[in-house]
Amino acid sequence: MGSAVIKRSGQRTLVWYQLAAALLFCGLLLTSCSLGDTAGSVNIPSGNGGKDCNRVGVFLPDRTTSDRWEHNDHPLLEAAITKAIPGVHFDYHNANGDSDAQLAQATTGMENGDCILVVAAHDSIAATPIVTMAKAHNIPVIAYDRLIQSPDLNYYISFDNIKVGALQAQYIVDHYQQYRRGFHTNITMISGSQTDTNALLFSIGAHSVLDPMLAQHTLSIINEVFTPDWSNPTAETEMEAALADQKDDIQVAYVANDGMAGTAIQALDNAGLSGKVLVTGQDATVGGLRNILQGKQNMTVYKPIAKVAQSVGDLVKALHDGKDVKNLTHGAVTSTYNGGKIPSILDEPVSVDIHNISQTVIKDKYVSKKDLCAGLPAGTGDFC
């Protein structure tokens, strides 16, 4: 699937964008049909709604789009779940960017006795058969970080993903004048994968902040590209194309995560524009934070993964013990495209730039100063 591009000029409203998101969803729904419903063709034992479950399956999406999945989510989830249920079998798998592989992994996991599933979907639509099979065998599914588009989903644990996009856009609004050229500020938007609901939520959040300024012609979005599989190399190509199209006349690069920001920065480096274009990011990766210290990237969004991992541990324990989980979700619900109201736990993301690295990711021991400063000259960013 190629990049999905939305060209923009003049006023654009949030309603218009939501229509675009819905159209993208319809296309995804058509592609998901090929996966079929295999709920009746496998031998899966009953999960008893998670009660007394001693085998928890955890399924993450990839290893390449962001280093958070293996470096942060995997160990934090394992620690939280094994603490929640002493003696539990932690059945871990990574889909390596393959939706069919993730479906096969989850199916095999359930056949082998996984009785609670924690799924960070590679594809928000393609993961729906996992939920269908699990429901048929009374196995609860917790969508982790990324919403699975099924009305039968049991729980959703993530961050306020609309706020993630809003934080990125607010940083642009607060700092674009430092990069303004003449009387205009051109923005290129490199968003995430259109098969990940989060990418659409990030963009909706960003537009909720940017659209009023677009209406006033204070800012101009020259294009928005949805990047298949959050591919870092593709993001570099997209940045190169935007620069070529605008003859390097770009002042802001809204980039949805740090991995893609890193390769977009490479394209800016090649054009002699590194540090001259405002660049956003997300995930507070070591690479993204090092780019911030070096003045190549301006901000990232820190999502305290330890909090959501602990929320998973708390929920898994409650299910195992057969307890009411309403005190964990506090009545919060998230809607799926197809009508489901999913009990949810949504934690708060945090905007990070060069001024608050010490007070956020370092204070929380999410990353270490040693890792951030390795190989950088003393004094880099007034931090190293």
Side-chain angles (χ1 to χ4, degrees), residues 5-10 12 184-190 207 210 214 219-225 238-254:
V5 183
I6 299 176
K7 289 281 188 178
R8 299 177 177 274
S9 60
R12 291 293 186 269
H184 68 272
T185 303
N186 289 336
I187 303 175
T188 185
M189 297 187 72
I190 300 178
H207 281 283
L210 295 176
L214 298 177
L219 303 174
S220 300
I221 295 179
I222 50 115
N223 73 325
E224 178 165 6
V225 185
E238 291 163 348
M239 188 72 239
E240 290 170 344
L243 290 168
D245 184 60
Q246 297 297 310
K247 297 181 174 57
D248 292 349
D249 188 13
I250 293 175
Q251 288 72 54
V252 176
Y254 167 93

Side-chain angles (χ1 to χ4, degrees), residues 194-205:
Q194 63 267 48
T195 62
D196 176 2
T197 301
N198 282 0
L200 300 178
L201 296 176
F202 300 150
S203 190
I204 288 172

Side-chain angles (χ1 to χ4, degrees), residues 104-121:
Q105 289 167 350
T107 302
T108 300
M110 286 186 282
E111 289 178 317
N112 290 338
D114 289 353
C115 38
I116 298 173
L117 304 186
V118 180
V119 182

Side-chain angles (χ1 to χ4, degrees), residues 179 243 250 261-262 264-279 291 294-298:
Y179 297 84
L243 290 168
I250 293 175
I265 288 167
Q266 184 59 55
L268 292 171
D269 273 335
N270 295 339
L273 294 173
S274 180
K276 300 177 182 178
V277 173
L278 189 159
V279 179
N291 279 332
Q294 295 174 87
K296 297 180 178 182
Q297 181 174 325
N298 296 78

Side-chain angles (χ1 to χ4, degrees), residues 122-190:
H122 173 254
D123 182 313
S124 296
I125 304 298
T128 57
I130 297 173
V131 178
T132 301
M133 279 189 287
K135 181 184 179 182
H137 297 88
N138 201 19
I139 298 171
V141 178
I142 302 167
Y144 175 76
D145 190 71
R146 298 174 174 180
L147 183 64
I148 299 173
Q149 290 298 336
S150 169
D152 295 323
L153 180 67
N154 300 97
Y155 306 100
Y156 174 48
I157 296 179
S158 186
F159 293 90
D160 183 340
N161 290 306
I162 288 180
K163 186 172 182 179
V164 170
L167 287 174
Q168 293 169 320
Q170 190 60 53
Y171 193 93
I172 292 170
V173 169
D174 292 343
H175 297 87
Y176 77 92
Q177 290 184 337
Q178 300 171 33
Y179 297 84
R180 190 175 180 90
R181 182 180 300 177
F183 296 99
H184 68 272
T185 303
N186 289 336
I187 303 175
T188 185
M189 297 187 72
I190 300 178

Side-chain angles (χ1 to χ4, degrees), residues 339-359:
K341 300 291 186 181
I342 313 303
S344 303
I345 302 172
L346 302 178
D347 287 310
E348 288 293 305
V350 179
S351 180
V352 174
D353 68 3
I354 200 166
H355 301 295
N356 68 342
I357 288 177
S358 294
Q359 295 79 25

